[in-house]
Each structure stands twice: as C-alpha cells, then as structure tokens.
Amino acid sequence: HVLLTIYVFELTVSLKRFGTYFLSCSNPDITWNLLDTVIVGSSVLDSWAVPVVGCIVQNIREAEQSADESKKTKDAGLSLGQLMMLMRMLRLMRILRLVR
C-alpha cells in the first residue's frame, strides 16, 4: 500500500503540474500517461475500494445467507489480482525505460 500511495501522489502531482496537457493528444507521452492513469486507478480500486465494498457486501450477505455462499464470492477475485500484477509489471517496464 505504501508504493501505491507513492504512485497516487506522483500521478496527482503530474496532473496538478501539467493540467489538461497531461492527457491531451498533443502530449508526446500520452500513451504512457494513459497507461499510468489506468494502472494507478485500477490499483486504487483493487487495493482500496474493492476490499471496502467487499467487506460491506460480505457483512450484508452473512446476515442474509450462509457462510458457504460468501466463500464462493471470495474465490472469484483471483483473476483480477493476476491482471493487477500484469499492470504493475507494465508500470515497472516504463520506469526501466526511463532509466535506460
């Protein structure tokens, strides 16, 4: 979560500094900026928003249904985690490209 906080801060600073130019078509780095925005946004959803919503939904379901059905909904999130790992690897590739 610490690295995600740093990435959110970096994206926020870039958006504040460049304004609408950050995501404009005249920006030569628009592809990387869009990729960063999608990766950070989806990571925020995956790491912060989805667990909160999942916890709320789980508490509601436990009040209405048995514990077996709530376990099945937890197992369905594995593919999302794998997708997020792929997105983070793409972000690391961008950082390595900048170092080179």
Side-chain angles (χ1 to χ4, degrees):
H1 293 283
V2 173
L3 289 177
L4 181 57
T5 304
I6 293 169
Y7 289 141
V8 168
F9 178 75
E10 175 195 6
L11 185 63
T12 304
V13 169
S14 296
L15 285 169
K16 176 73 174 163
R17 180 175 177 214
F18 295 114
T20 57
Y21 181 72
F22 185 75
L23 295 174
S24 73
C25 293
S26 60
N27 187 348
D29 289 332
I30 188 170
T31 306
W32 290 111
N33 293 344
L34 284 173
L35 180 65
D36 283 346
T37 304
V38 168
I39 290 171
V40 171
S42 60
S43 294
V44 165
L45 285 174
D46 183 47
S47 297
W48 296 338
V50 171
V52 170
V53 171
C55 184
I56 293 169
V57 169
Q58 181 180 0
N59 287 336
I60 292 171
R61 285 188 179 172
E62 284 179 356
E64 297 174 355
Q65 299 173 353
S66 69
D68 291 338
E69 291 177 359
S70 66
K71 184 179 180 225
K72 289 178 186 176
T73 60
K74 283 184 180 178
D75 293 339
L78 293 177
S79 63
L80 180 63
Q82 291 172 348
L83 176 66
M84 293 310 304
M85 182 170 295
L86 178 63
M87 299 291 276
R88 290 181 185 122
M89 288 172 40
L90 285 172
R91 181 164 173 84
L92 284 173
M93 288 174 52
R94 178 178 185 252
I95 293 170
L96 291 176
R97 182 185 73 99
L98 291 174
V99 171
R100 187 172 51 117

